[in-house]
Short mmCIF file of all heavy atoms in Angstrom, two decimals:
data_model
loop_
_atom_site.label_atom_id
_atom_site.label_comp_id
_atom_site.label_asym_id
_atom_site.label_seq_id
_atom_site.Cartn_x
_atom_site.Cartn_y
_atom_site.Cartn_z
N ASP A 1 18.88 76.49 44.18
CA ASP A 1 20.20 76.06 43.70
C ASP A 1 21.29 76.27 44.74
O ASP A 1 22.22 75.48 44.86
CB ASP A 1 20.55 76.81 42.41
CG ASP A 1 19.64 76.43 41.26
OD1 ASP A 1 19.09 75.31 41.29
OD2 ASP A 1 19.46 77.26 40.35
N THR A 2 21.19 77.37 45.48
CA THR A 2 22.20 77.67 46.50
C THR A 2 21.51 77.92 47.84
O THR A 2 21.43 79.05 48.32
CB THR A 2 23.04 78.90 46.10
OG1 THR A 2 22.15 80.00 45.81
CG2 THR A 2 23.88 78.61 44.87
N PRO A 3 21.02 76.85 48.47
CA PRO A 3 20.28 77.01 49.73
C PRO A 3 21.18 77.39 50.89
O PRO A 3 22.33 76.97 50.97
CB PRO A 3 19.66 75.62 49.94
CG PRO A 3 20.62 74.70 49.27
CD PRO A 3 21.13 75.44 48.07
N ALA A 4 20.65 78.19 51.79
CA ALA A 4 21.37 78.56 53.01
C ALA A 4 21.31 77.40 54.00
O ALA A 4 20.33 76.65 54.05
CB ALA A 4 20.75 79.81 53.63
N PRO A 5 22.35 77.20 54.80
CA PRO A 5 22.31 76.17 55.84
C PRO A 5 21.20 76.46 56.85
O PRO A 5 21.06 77.60 57.31
CB PRO A 5 23.69 76.26 56.50
CG PRO A 5 24.56 76.92 55.48
CD PRO A 5 23.67 77.86 54.74
N VAL A 6 20.42 75.44 57.19
CA VAL A 6 19.30 75.60 58.12
C VAL A 6 19.48 74.62 59.27
O VAL A 6 19.64 73.41 59.07
CB VAL A 6 17.95 75.35 57.42
CG1 VAL A 6 16.81 75.44 58.43
CG2 VAL A 6 17.75 76.35 56.29
N LEU A 7 19.44 75.13 60.50
CA LEU A 7 19.55 74.31 61.70
C LEU A 7 18.16 74.08 62.28
O LEU A 7 17.48 75.01 62.69
CB LEU A 7 20.44 75.00 62.74
CG LEU A 7 20.57 74.30 64.09
CD1 LEU A 7 21.29 72.96 63.93
CD2 LEU A 7 21.29 75.19 65.10
N LYS A 8 17.73 72.81 62.31
CA LYS A 8 16.44 72.47 62.88
C LYS A 8 16.56 72.35 64.40
O LYS A 8 17.49 71.73 64.90
CB LYS A 8 15.94 71.13 62.31
CG LYS A 8 15.76 71.13 60.79
CD LYS A 8 14.63 72.04 60.35
CE LYS A 8 14.41 71.94 58.85
NZ LYS A 8 13.30 72.83 58.40
N LEU A 9 15.62 72.96 65.10
CA LEU A 9 15.63 72.94 66.56
C LEU A 9 14.63 71.91 67.07
O LEU A 9 13.51 71.82 66.58
CB LEU A 9 15.29 74.33 67.12
CG LEU A 9 16.18 75.48 66.66
CD1 LEU A 9 15.76 76.77 67.34
CD2 LEU A 9 17.66 75.19 66.96
N SER A 10 15.06 71.15 68.07
CA SER A 10 14.18 70.16 68.68
C SER A 10 13.45 70.77 69.87
O SER A 10 13.74 71.89 70.28
CB SER A 10 14.99 68.93 69.12
OG SER A 10 15.98 69.30 70.06
N ALA A 11 12.51 70.02 70.42
CA ALA A 11 11.73 70.51 71.56
C ALA A 11 12.63 70.77 72.75
O ALA A 11 13.68 70.13 72.93
CB ALA A 11 10.65 69.48 71.92
N ALA A 12 12.22 71.73 73.57
CA ALA A 12 13.01 72.11 74.74
C ALA A 12 13.13 70.93 75.69
O ALA A 12 12.17 70.17 75.90
CB ALA A 12 12.37 73.30 75.44
N GLU A 13 14.30 70.78 76.30
CA GLU A 13 14.53 69.71 77.26
C GLU A 13 14.27 70.22 78.67
O GLU A 13 14.50 71.39 78.97
CB GLU A 13 15.97 69.20 77.15
CG GLU A 13 16.30 68.61 75.79
CD GLU A 13 17.75 68.18 75.70
OE1 GLU A 13 18.51 68.48 76.64
OE2 GLU A 13 18.12 67.54 74.70
N GLU A 14 13.80 69.31 79.54
CA GLU A 14 13.53 69.68 80.93
C GLU A 14 14.84 69.98 81.65
O GLU A 14 15.85 69.33 81.43
CB GLU A 14 12.79 68.56 81.66
CG GLU A 14 11.38 68.31 81.12
CD GLU A 14 10.66 67.27 81.93
OE1 GLU A 14 11.25 66.79 82.93
OE2 GLU A 14 9.53 66.92 81.58
N ASP A 15 14.80 70.98 82.52
CA ASP A 15 16.00 71.38 83.26
C ASP A 15 16.22 70.42 84.43
O ASP A 15 15.46 70.42 85.39
CB ASP A 15 15.84 72.82 83.76
CG ASP A 15 17.13 73.33 84.42
OD1 ASP A 15 18.15 72.62 84.40
OD2 ASP A 15 17.09 74.46 84.92
N ALA A 16 17.25 69.61 84.32
CA ALA A 16 17.53 68.63 85.37
C ALA A 16 18.01 69.29 86.65
O ALA A 16 17.98 68.70 87.72
CB ALA A 16 18.57 67.63 84.89
N HIS A 17 18.47 70.56 86.57
CA HIS A 17 18.99 71.23 87.76
C HIS A 17 17.88 71.87 88.59
O HIS A 17 18.15 72.46 89.62
CB HIS A 17 19.99 72.31 87.34
CG HIS A 17 21.16 71.75 86.59
ND1 HIS A 17 22.14 70.98 87.17
CD2 HIS A 17 21.49 71.83 85.27
CE1 HIS A 17 23.04 70.63 86.27
NE2 HIS A 17 22.67 71.13 85.10
N GLY A 18 16.63 71.75 88.14
CA GLY A 18 15.56 72.43 88.84
C GLY A 18 15.05 71.69 90.06
O GLY A 18 14.33 72.24 90.88
N SER A 19 15.39 70.40 90.23
CA SER A 19 14.88 69.63 91.36
C SER A 19 15.65 69.97 92.62
O SER A 19 16.82 70.31 92.59
CB SER A 19 15.00 68.12 91.05
OG SER A 19 16.34 67.79 90.81
N SER A 20 14.98 69.85 93.77
CA SER A 20 15.61 70.19 95.04
C SER A 20 16.53 69.07 95.49
O SER A 20 16.47 67.95 95.01
CB SER A 20 14.54 70.41 96.11
OG SER A 20 13.84 69.21 96.36
N GLY A 21 17.37 69.35 96.49
CA GLY A 21 18.30 68.35 96.99
C GLY A 21 17.58 67.17 97.61
O GLY A 21 17.97 66.03 97.45
N ALA A 22 16.47 67.44 98.36
CA ALA A 22 15.73 66.36 99.00
C ALA A 22 15.15 65.44 97.95
O ALA A 22 15.19 64.22 98.08
CB ALA A 22 14.63 66.95 99.90
N ASP A 23 14.57 66.03 96.90
CA ASP A 23 13.98 65.21 95.85
C ASP A 23 15.04 64.37 95.18
O ASP A 23 14.84 63.20 94.86
CB ASP A 23 13.28 66.11 94.81
CG ASP A 23 12.07 66.80 95.40
OD1 ASP A 23 11.57 66.31 96.42
OD2 ASP A 23 11.64 67.83 94.83
N ALA A 24 16.20 64.98 94.93
CA ALA A 24 17.28 64.25 94.27
C ALA A 24 17.74 63.09 95.15
O ALA A 24 18.02 61.99 94.65
CB ALA A 24 18.45 65.19 93.99
N SER A 25 17.82 63.32 96.50
CA SER A 25 18.23 62.27 97.41
C SER A 25 17.22 61.13 97.42
O SER A 25 17.59 59.95 97.40
CB SER A 25 18.40 62.84 98.82
OG SER A 25 18.72 61.82 99.74
N ASP A 26 15.93 61.50 97.48
CA ASP A 26 14.88 60.48 97.46
C ASP A 26 14.95 59.66 96.18
O ASP A 26 14.80 58.43 96.20
CB ASP A 26 13.50 61.14 97.59
CG ASP A 26 13.32 61.76 98.98
OD1 ASP A 26 14.09 61.40 99.89
OD2 ASP A 26 12.43 62.62 99.12
N ASP A 27 15.14 60.35 95.06
CA ASP A 27 15.20 59.65 93.78
C ASP A 27 16.39 58.70 93.74
O ASP A 27 16.30 57.57 93.25
CB ASP A 27 15.32 60.66 92.62
CG ASP A 27 14.05 61.48 92.46
OD1 ASP A 27 13.01 61.03 92.99
OD2 ASP A 27 14.11 62.55 91.82
N THR A 28 17.52 59.14 94.31
CA THR A 28 18.71 58.30 94.32
C THR A 28 18.49 57.06 95.16
O THR A 28 18.86 55.94 94.77
CB THR A 28 19.92 59.08 94.88
OG1 THR A 28 20.12 60.24 94.08
CG2 THR A 28 21.17 58.22 94.87
N GLU A 29 17.87 57.24 96.36
CA GLU A 29 17.61 56.10 97.24
C GLU A 29 16.65 55.12 96.59
O GLU A 29 16.84 53.90 96.64
CB GLU A 29 17.04 56.59 98.57
CG GLU A 29 16.81 55.47 99.59
CD GLU A 29 16.29 56.00 100.91
OE1 GLU A 29 16.23 57.24 101.07
OE2 GLU A 29 15.96 55.18 101.78
N ALA A 30 15.59 55.66 95.97
CA ALA A 30 14.62 54.80 95.32
C ALA A 30 15.27 54.03 94.17
O ALA A 30 15.01 52.83 93.97
CB ALA A 30 13.45 55.64 94.78
N ALA A 31 16.13 54.70 93.43
CA ALA A 31 16.81 54.04 92.32
C ALA A 31 17.70 52.92 92.83
O ALA A 31 17.78 51.84 92.23
CB ALA A 31 17.64 55.05 91.54
N ALA A 32 18.37 53.15 93.98
CA ALA A 32 19.24 52.13 94.56
C ALA A 32 18.43 50.92 94.99
O ALA A 32 18.84 49.77 94.78
CB ALA A 32 20.01 52.71 95.74
N GLN A 33 17.26 51.17 95.62
CA GLN A 33 16.41 50.07 96.06
C GLN A 33 15.91 49.26 94.86
O GLN A 33 15.88 48.03 94.89
CB GLN A 33 15.24 50.61 96.87
CG GLN A 33 15.66 51.20 98.21
CD GLN A 33 14.48 51.81 98.95
OE1 GLN A 33 13.38 51.88 98.41
NE2 GLN A 33 14.71 52.25 100.19
N ASN A 34 15.50 49.96 93.83
CA ASN A 34 15.00 49.27 92.63
C ASN A 34 16.10 48.44 91.99
O ASN A 34 15.87 47.33 91.52
CB ASN A 34 14.47 50.29 91.62
CG ASN A 34 13.19 50.95 92.11
OD1 ASN A 34 12.47 50.37 92.92
ND2 ASN A 34 12.90 52.15 91.61
N THR A 35 17.31 49.00 91.98
CA THR A 35 18.44 48.28 91.40
C THR A 35 18.73 47.00 92.18
O THR A 35 18.98 45.94 91.60
CB THR A 35 19.70 49.17 91.38
OG1 THR A 35 19.42 50.34 90.62
CG2 THR A 35 20.88 48.42 90.77
N ALA A 36 18.69 47.11 93.54
CA ALA A 36 18.93 45.93 94.38
C ALA A 36 17.87 44.87 94.14
O ALA A 36 18.17 43.68 94.05
CB ALA A 36 18.96 46.35 95.85
N ALA A 37 16.61 45.31 94.06
CA ALA A 37 15.51 44.37 93.82
C ALA A 37 15.66 43.69 92.47
O ALA A 37 15.46 42.48 92.34
CB ALA A 37 14.16 45.10 93.90
N ASP A 38 16.01 44.47 91.46
CA ASP A 38 16.19 43.90 90.12
C ASP A 38 17.33 42.90 90.10
O ASP A 38 17.26 41.85 89.46
CB ASP A 38 16.47 45.01 89.10
CG ASP A 38 15.26 45.91 88.90
OD1 ASP A 38 14.14 45.46 89.25
OD2 ASP A 38 15.44 47.04 88.38
N THR A 39 18.41 43.22 90.85
CA THR A 39 19.56 42.32 90.90
C THR A 39 19.18 40.99 91.54
O THR A 39 19.55 39.91 91.07
CB THR A 39 20.71 42.96 91.69
OG1 THR A 39 21.06 44.19 91.07
CG2 THR A 39 21.92 42.04 91.73
N ALA A 40 18.43 41.08 92.67
CA ALA A 40 18.00 39.86 93.36
C ALA A 40 17.10 39.04 92.46
O ALA A 40 17.20 37.82 92.38
CB ALA A 40 17.29 40.22 94.67
N SER A 41 16.18 39.72 91.78
CA SER A 41 15.26 39.02 90.89
C SER A 41 16.01 38.34 89.76
O SER A 41 15.75 37.20 89.42
CB SER A 41 14.24 40.01 90.31
OG SER A 41 13.39 39.38 89.37
N ASP A 42 16.98 39.07 89.18
CA ASP A 42 17.76 38.50 88.09
C ASP A 42 18.55 37.30 88.57
O ASP A 42 18.69 36.30 87.87
CB ASP A 42 18.72 39.55 87.52
CG ASP A 42 17.96 40.65 86.81
OD1 ASP A 42 16.78 40.40 86.47
OD2 ASP A 42 18.55 41.73 86.59
N SER A 43 19.09 37.40 89.84
CA SER A 43 19.87 36.30 90.39
C SER A 43 19.02 35.06 90.57
O SER A 43 19.42 33.95 90.23
CB SER A 43 20.50 36.71 91.72
OG SER A 43 21.20 35.63 92.30
#
């Protein structure tokens, strides 16, 4: 009749700050190249 509020917890999220600077740079460059390719293809 008088339930206590219950907060459901979701699965833990991956820590985005754990990647190194080099990896982040590589990922950014790869993303830029993919974006350019997709743009050309769409055009």
Side-chain angles (χ1 to χ4, degrees):
D1 293 334
T2 54
V6 177
L7 176 65
K8 300 292 184 180
L9 303 182
S10 60
E13 298 177 352
E14 294 184 3
D15 186 5
H17 300 289
S19 59
S20 65
D23 293 339
S25 177
D26 293 342
D27 293 341
T28 302
E29 184 178 354
Q33 292 176 354
N34 291 335
T35 301
D38 292 341
T39 302
S41 176
D42 292 342
S43 177

